[in-house]
Amino acid sequence: MISQRTKEALAAVKARGMRLGNPQIRQAQEAAAERRTAIAEDFAANVLPIIREIQATGASMRKTAAALNARGIPTARGGT
């Protein structure tokens, strides 16, 4: 029933000539991609010196990850 009512409501809106969705979706997607890139670059700039310091000791990738975890440095998405 929910599906049917939703379809009917969307058809009614469309019949009134209203445009469904975001008419500027391309610009919104581009802005979101730019923001994600900026956040990723900021994170990398902050954590890279620490990674280089750990790698200077000859640590492998696994040991580098363990050292970052030991220092409590989260991943870019907040994980450990």
Side-chain angles (χ1 to χ4, degrees):
M1 285 179 59
I2 293 172
S3 174
Q4 184 61 34
R5 284 188 294 222
T6 301
K7 288 177 186 177
E8 290 170 0
L10 289 173
V13 169
K14 201 170 185 180
R16 288 195 304 266
M18 298 208 50
R19 194 162 175 200
L20 301 175
N22 185 349
Q24 298 174 343
I25 191 70
R26 180 72 66 202
Q27 292 88 350
Q29 289 172 333
E30 290 173 2
E34 289 173 8
R35 180 72 178 131
R36 282 191 307 272
T37 300
I39 290 170
E41 289 173 352
D42 287 346
F43 178 81
N46 288 332
V47 78
L48 189 60
I50 299 167
I51 291 173
R52 294 286 184 238
E53 176 187 320
I54 295 167
Q55 288 176 335
T57 67
S60 66
M61 295 292 277
R62 186 179 301 252
K63 288 183 180 178
T64 300
L68 290 171
N69 287 336
R71 293 181 183 196
I73 299 172
T75 64
R77 294 188 177 180
T80 56

